[in-house]
Each structure stands twice: as structure tokens, then as C-alpha cells.
Amino acid sequence: MAYPESGAGSEPESSEALQVLHRVFGYDSFRGNQADIIDHVCTGGDALVLMPTGGGKSLCYQIPALVREGVGVVVSPLIALMQDQVDALTALGVRAGFLNSTQDFEQRRRVESAFRSGELDLLYLAPERLKVESTLRLLENGKISLFAIDEAHCVAQWGHDFRPDYLALSTLHERWPEVPRIALTATATEATHSEIAFRLNLGEARHFVASFDRPNIQYRIAPKNEPKKQLLDLLRTEHPGEAGIVYCLSRASVEKTADFLVDNGIQALPYHAGLDARVRAANQSRFLREDGMVMVATIAFGMGIDKPDVRFVAHLDLPKSVEGYYQETGRAGRDGQPSTAWLAYGLQDVVQQRKMIDTSEGDDAHRRRLGTHLDAMLALCETVTCRRVQLLAYFGQDSSACGNCDTCLTPPESWDGTIAAQKLLSTVFRLAEERHQKFGAGQIIDILLGKTTPKVSQHNHDSLKVFGIGTELRDTEWRGVVRQLLAQRLLAVEGDYGTLVLTDTSAEVLRREREVLLRREPERTARATKTAKSRGKAAAVDMPASANADFELLRAWRGASAKEQGVPAYVIFHDATLRQIATERPATLSALGTVSGVGENKLAKYGQQILDTLAG
Ligand code: ADP
Ligand code: ZN
């Protein structure tokens, strides 16, 4: 029996799983389809699990590993996080270890011998380990209860996190045909889903697809004006002192943004692949361990980060796909508390991304795939309907307007932009036909507005028939028109200078065969958020103001213990657990044991300290 005290084995599996949930994890009940998944794997079935970030995937293999005989082998690409994962399990009294390249010979030997003698419940492995014959031989010398393949989308070339080492995992069931396999991912388009099933040889596996909605996350996409200032505004007004992640496209902008935030009194750290590995590890560790830290990063950061209290994820550049965007934003609010996903997006993003696709390596099919991803992302940015409805539809899920995204809170208007589009497209057309010239958006807009800039005079553009025909819109509005025409592929960009050119479909607009519907930005997108915030908060653990002092005492105690043990604070207890303790003020150990998140091991280890802290 993997877990030493787990009953006599006469119970049906499901109730044994429930006991483990209560005793080890201290939780009352399973969430969503956790119970079905766990039941299926406990009885030896293969499973493919699609669940959003924060949905509770870990329990789906951890509990079967505790219930079934043998060691659960977890394949994960996240070497840097294995120590934290093992620490978190150890804190629960689960016997866990890992094998990866960061260990010395002696450390590895100890884990290997624990594995062989059946003294582990869970063993974490990097995928490249499974290519090494000695690892495979080791695994054959122990008893394996299951294989869990975490971040399973890494096997999919269609997706955005492809790792060649994952392809080798398809052979696991040839070597261990009787060991159940459970593959898990938070990435869930139909294409990725079927590619995972195909590549991992999970044809017979049962598929479990959870709802992808993350109701506590408020989605907002704002027009990009002064991005750094907009970001600072967001952090100061809505998330002061709170932890969050800011994503930037380039290493340079990561550095600049982090410096800017620090200069403005915000605790921020940079993270990108160009930093020294030690600096990266130190920054990640500070982000996980210290309260209220902001991580400014490229998308190299975040996979597998299971910090529960990330309150916001901000994107200063347009993500390359909806899948990537959803996964990155999903890192906010794993604890179910209200959180913000904010993206600033502008004309330059479209120009830049189209250029990156045009010049990307790989064949045409690859470029087309990138183009499809970008189009879906742009459609999300330009939608006049609920963002969440669009997002969930992208993952094949129907829903209705959410009331907790910017388009629901401050609905944008749509307007008939056909005439504006015609004016703009015919300016591009005339420059090409009459002058054999191509220009970027700036010059085209100056011509439309009839501005006699030096560049306009130099090229004699004030003599064009279209000069000054667009004064009904402001400069920023014209930029919005260009952006949306690019998004709708009625206009394209070319070359290093982002010059505008017509597409196959532009002519339909010029010939009045096609109407163009555009989105008008509401004046202030970010303001109407109060109602939604309080709405979300109601769902969180309600803590009366009188409990605040106790909550702070408990937090201080937790901080000191975490420091002493060198683990993140949330490994000891989550905020939600401390809030419930502060509210209920349990006077006995058994009363404390009923609080969600207080399992047997933590009760034994910390129970008395908590009662003492409350007694003051
Ligand atoms: P995922 O891996 O799907 O992103 P996790 O497994 O990290 O999600 O779970 C997210 C959070 O929810 C964790 O803090 C976890 O402890 C908590 N959780 C998971 N299942 C339950 C449950 N049945 N009851 C209460 N909390 C749960
Ligand atoms: Zn909505």
C-alpha cells in the first residue's frame, strides 16, 4: 500500500480516495470531475484530462498514486519547480522525490534506492530522463502505480510549447502495458487535444474535458497608448502590494519595464532566457517566496508556477495565440479569488507580429499556422461581444455573456466603417498606382488628415486627390481603423518599415461590395470594474473586518515558519485557509482540523502553533 495508513483495502476505491482527500489534503469534497477521473485511474484506466489552470489537476494523479500500490511516476518538464512540488507534498506527509540534472550523484542515489524499496509515493522525472536506459532499468526494478504526463500539450507540434523529448513518452505503455497512464494539460483546442491523444498513443484512454471557464478572472483588453504608464496605473489603483506577472515580448522590454516599475516604487524582478541561470532561479524563488512581488518576464516564465495568489497577469505585447494567452492569463487567481487579466494592444503589435511571421523560419504550412493563431488572437482583441464567450468558444465551449470582462462592463459600440475604410484603402491604392510608392500607417493617416508635415511636402503628397479627405476622424481613431483592417485582412503590412499594401479582398471594399464593421473604443475601459470586483469577492471566503488582526498575526506566523523552512508561504497554508481560521477562531485541535486545507499532517505539525498564535 502506497500510503502507510490507508485503510484495510476493503472499501470501494472511491471512498478510499475520498478519505485520502480528507486526511492528507484536508479538503471536504472533490471539484468538478476530479472524482470520476480519480476513480477511473484508481481502477487502472488510462485518462486524458483537459482542465484549466487552477482546476485541480494535481490531485487527479496524486490521489490515485496514494491509493494504488506502487510509486506514481510523474513526467514533468519543469525541473526548476520539482523541489517546490516535492516540498509541498512532504509538508502534507506524502513521500515524494525527484530525479533530474540538478542533483549530484549522492542525492540521486538516495532517491533511486527509496524508489526501489517502495519507500516513495510519487517520483517526479524530467522527460529526457526516460531516454536514458539506466532510468528505464531503474523503473523496471520498482513497482509503478501509474504514469502521469503533466503539461501533456508539450507533445503537440500544433501548440506553442513543443518539446521533442515528449515524443518518446509514446512508448511507455509498450514497456509497461499494465500501468495506467494519465495525461494532463490546460491547453485544449480540438487540434491540440487530438494531437496529444495520437502522439501519446492514448487511443483507448477516456477523455475528461472540464469547463474551461475561470469565472474569478476579469478579462480586459485595452488600446495601447502609453503602455508603461497604463500598467503603473493598473498596479497602483487596482493591485497595490499584490503579486502579479507582466509579460513582454522581448528581453529588452522586460528589462526596461522592470526598471521602470522599480523606479516607481514597485517591487519588480526581471526574468528572461538571456539572464544568467542563477539570477533566473533566484528571481523565480523570490517571486514564489516573498509577498507582493511583480515578475516582469518573457513567456519563458510561468509554466507550472503554481503560486495560488497571483492577482494579475498583464500583457504589454500581443500574445501569438489564444492558447498561449489563455494559459498565461490562467496563472492568475488559482486560489479562486478575484483576479485581473489585462492586455494592452495597438497597431504596432499587428505590424510587428505579421512581420515576424513573414520572416519566420519553417515552411509555408508553418507560417500559415502562425497566421491562423494570430488571426484568432486579433479577433479576440477586436470583438464587440463578451471576451469570455469568445475565449470559451475557441475551446469549443458554449456560454453566455459573463458580466466580468471589459466588453460586458463597458460595451464598445460597433460602427459602419465602410466609408472610412474606402478612404484609407484608396489612399494606399493611389500612392501605389499613381506614384509607385508604399508608406506606413503614419504617413497615410497624415495624408487623410491633410497635415502638411515635412515628409508630406517632400513627397508632394498634398497634391493627391485624397489629401485631407479624412478629417472626420482623429489620428488615434484612424490608427484604430488601420489596426482593424489589418486584423480583418483587408489590408496587409510588408517589409521592414511596415508599409501598407492592399490584399485580395481590399477591392471588394473599394468597389462597395463589402461592408466593414468596426469597433469604437469606449472612453475609459478600465473604470467600470468596481461592480465586478465586489461580485467576484462575494465568492471568496468572506472575512469580517474584526478577523483582520488575527489574519495578520497568522500571516506573520506563516511568513516566519516559511522562512525557517525555506519553502514558499503557500506551502504551509493558503490565504483562504488562514482567512477561515481567523474567522472561525477554532479553540481546539479537532475544530481546527475541520478547516479546508488543514489535513492530518499539517494539523499535527502546526496545529498547536496556530492555537497559540490565536490565543496571543
Ligand atoms: P492545476 O494543476 O490544474 O492548475 P492545482 O492542482 O494546482 O491546479 O490546484 C489548484 C488549487 O486548487 C490548489 O491550490 C489545490 O490545492 C486546490 N484544490 C484542488 N482540488 C481541490 C479540492 N477538491 N478542494 C479544495 N481545493 C482544491
Ligand atoms: Zn463578458
Side-chain angles (χ1 to χ4, degrees):
M1 194 55 56
Y3 198 76
E5 299 98 7
S6 55
S10 58
E11 306 266 359
E13 308 272 35
S14 60
S15 98
E16 200 177 333
L18 198 59
Q19 283 176 24
V20 173
L21 180 78
H22 295 322
R23 195 182 61 236
V24 180
F25 296 90
Y27 295 141
D28 297 336
S29 53
F30 288 114
R31 275 189 192 160
N33 45 12
Q34 274 177 337
D36 289 343
I37 299 166
I38 290 169
D39 209 39
H40 182 69
V41 177
C42 279
T43 52
D46 290 342
L48 174 49
V49 173
L50 278 60
M51 209 185 260
T53 311
K57 282 185 287 300
S58 324
L59 289 188
C60 297
Y61 58 83
Q62 287 168 350
I63 290 185
L66 293 173
V67 169
R68 285 175 64 85
E69 197 185 328
V71 185
V73 174
V74 186
V75 181
S76 161
L78 309 163
I79 295 176
L81 297 169
M82 286 183 181
Q83 184 68 58
D84 280 351
Q85 280 167 332
V86 164
D87 285 347
L89 286 165
T90 309
L92 295 166
V94 176
R95 303 167 308 168
F98 64 85
L99 289 175
N100 67 32
S101 52
T102 65
Q103 292 163 302
D104 62 27
F105 176 79
E106 181 49 31
Q107 290 169 318
R108 208 172 309 167
R109 202 197 52 77
R110 233 177 292 137
V111 176
E112 288 175 359
S113 111
F115 171 81
R116 271 195 220 93
S117 51
E119 287 159 18
L120 287 182
D121 301 312
L122 283 154
L123 174 66
Y124 285 77
L125 287 182
E128 53 272 19
R129 289 271 121 201
L130 287 169
K131 291 199 310 198
V132 183
E133 190 51 38
S134 62
T135 311
L136 294 171
R137 267 203 311 277
L138 169 75
L139 293 185
E140 267 164 1
N141 283 326
K143 174 131 186 76
I144 300 173
S145 60
L146 58 86
F147 284 109
I149 302 165
D150 207 4
E151 313 289 350
H153 62 281
C154 289
V155 81
Q157 269 155 318
W158 159 259
H160 50 95
D161 275 328
F162 176 59
R163 309 226 176 180
D165 285 331
Y166 261 63
L167 293 174
L169 302 180
S170 64
T171 58
L172 286 180
H173 82 297
E174 286 159 19
R175 215 145 166 161
W176 289 275
E178 74 295 345
V179 176
R181 292 171 302 152
I182 170 171
L184 312 104
T185 179
T187 302
T189 54
E190 197 43 51
T192 308
H193 183 171
S194 37
E195 199 181 341
I196 296 173
F198 171 70
R199 295 216 185 268
L200 290 179
N201 249 312
L202 284 167
E204 314 262 284
R206 219 174 118 186
H207 293 207
F208 295 90
V209 182
S211 163
F212 263 70
D213 192 13
R214 298 286 309 280
N216 60 313
I217 300 182
Q218 182 176 96
Y219 295 96
R220 283 158 35 195
I221 301 181
K224 197 192 265 189
N225 304 316
E226 297 169 83
K228 288 217 224 50
K229 200 173 152 295
Q230 289 171 279
L231 174 68
L232 190 61
D233 214 33
L234 173 81
L235 302 200
R236 281 189 174 152
T237 56
E238 295 181 49
H239 297 286
E242 295 184 329
I245 307 173
V246 178
Y247 282 112
C248 303
L249 204 58
S250 72
R251 297 171 186 185
S253 60
V254 163
E255 300 273 353
K256 261 187 255 157
T257 308
D259 287 346
F260 169 82
L261 291 180
V262 170
D263 288 346
N264 283 281
I266 290 185
Q267 298 193 77
L269 297 165
Y271 189 104
H272 58 71
L275 288 173
D276 183 76
R278 256 172 325 181
V279 176
R280 243 177 14 227
N283 287 358
Q284 171 167 305
S285 164
R286 284 190 66 192
F287 175 72
L288 293 175
R289 281 166 175 71
E290 293 176 29
D291 273 336
M293 202 49 98
V294 176
M295 186 65 107
V296 186
T298 59
I299 54 168
F301 177 77
M303 203 209 286
I305 293 283
D306 52 7
K307 187 173 165 61
D309 55 356
V310 174
R311 290 276 68 87
F312 65 89
V313 171
H315 282 87
L316 285 186
D317 296 297
L318 187 68
K320 294 191 180 75
S321 71
V322 176
E323 286 181 277
Y325 169 75
Y326 205 60
Q327 206 162 57
E328 285 141 30
T329 53
R331 290 168 189 149
R334 278 174 180 245
D335 55 7
Q337 312 270 320
S339 310
T340 310
W342 180 85
L343 159 66
Y345 147 79
L347 172 57
Q348 205 47 37
D349 286 299
V350 194
V351 172
Q352 190 177 15
Q353 297 250 358
R354 290 255 199 259
K355 198 169 102 191
M356 273 166 47
I357 293 175
D358 286 343
T359 57
S360 81
E361 288 169 23
D363 54 9
D364 276 353
H366 176 67
R367 269 193 286 277
R368 254 199 312 281
R369 205 151 59 205
L370 295 177
T372 311
H373 281 316
L374 177 59
D375 285 344
M377 192 63 223
L378 292 175
L380 175 68
C381 291
E382 302 293 2
T383 186
V384 289
T385 61
C386 173
R387 306 261 190 221
R388 195 180 311 268
V389 166
Q390 273 238 0
L391 277 167
L392 294 176
Y394 188 77
F395 297 112
Q397 200 182 319
D398 286 335
S399 61
S400 49
C402 74
N404 192 24
C405 74
D406 56 353
T407 55
C408 280
L409 293 167
T410 358
E413 291 165 36
S414 62
W415 60 290
D416 183 347
T418 313
I419 297 194
Q422 282 169 349
K423 288 180 178 177
L424 197 132
L425 295 177
S426 61
T427 305
V428 175
F429 177 76
R430 273 169 191 278
L431 283 171
E433 286 297 302
E434 296 172 11
R435 310 270 179 104
H436 305 289
Q437 290 174 337
K438 291 173 189 167
F439 280 90
Q443 183 76 353
I444 309 276
I445 292 171
D446 284 347
I447 295 171
L448 285 164
L449 292 174
K451 284 197 195 159
T452 38
T453 65
K455 197 166 165 187
V456 163
S457 310
Q458 182 199 337
H459 292 282
N460 224 354
H461 284 164
D462 42 5
S463 66
L464 286 164
K465 234 182 117 187
V466 289
F467 187 74
I469 59 165
T471 49
E472 71 277 23
L473 296 182
R474 284 175 292 159
D475 182 83
T476 49
E477 291 168 319
W478 276 117
R479 293 183 76 80
V481 174
V482 175
R483 200 186 67 217
Q484 296 184 67
L485 292 178
L486 287 172
Q488 297 186 26
R489 288 188 179 261
L490 292 169
L491 191 64
V493 285
E494 227 185 46
D496 282 349
Y497 301 103
T499 52
L500 299 179
V501 293
L502 299 186
T503 67
D504 296 345
T505 40
S506 307
E508 293 173 20
V509 179
L510 286 168
R511 287 199 302 262
R512 290 158 209 267
E513 289 164 12
R514 175 172 175 152
E515 280 191 8
V516 182
L517 266 191
L518 297 177
R519 170 190 163 102
R520 193 189 314 275
E521 295 305 331
E523 276 308 307
R524 285 292 280 176
T525 321
R527 282 306 159 208
T529 56
K530 270 217 179 90
T531 46
K533 269 221 134 179
S534 45
R535 211 185 73 121
K537 278 235 162 78
V541 186
D542 276 324
M543 190 175 71
S546 58
N548 238 326
D550 282 333
F551 177 63
E552 289 307 326
L553 279 177
L554 290 166
R555 249 161 67 110
W557 163 79
R558 180 182 68 177
S561 310
K563 197 148 192 192
E564 202 179 288
Q565 299 174 51
V567 297
Y570 61 81
V571 162
I572 296 185
F573 285 118
H574 286 187
D575 281 358
T577 300
L578 293 191
R579 278 205 192 94
Q580 198 183 337
I581 296 173
T583 306
E584 293 178 7
R585 300 195 99 259
T588 62
L589 285 175
S590 63
L592 179 60
T594 65
V595 172
S596 177
V598 184
E600 206 168 57
N601 205 62
K602 289 189 179 176
L603 184 66
K605 189 161 176 191
Y606 303 122
Q608 196 52 50
Q609 295 178 40
I610 289 197
L611 296 185
D612 293 347
T613 306
L614 288 175

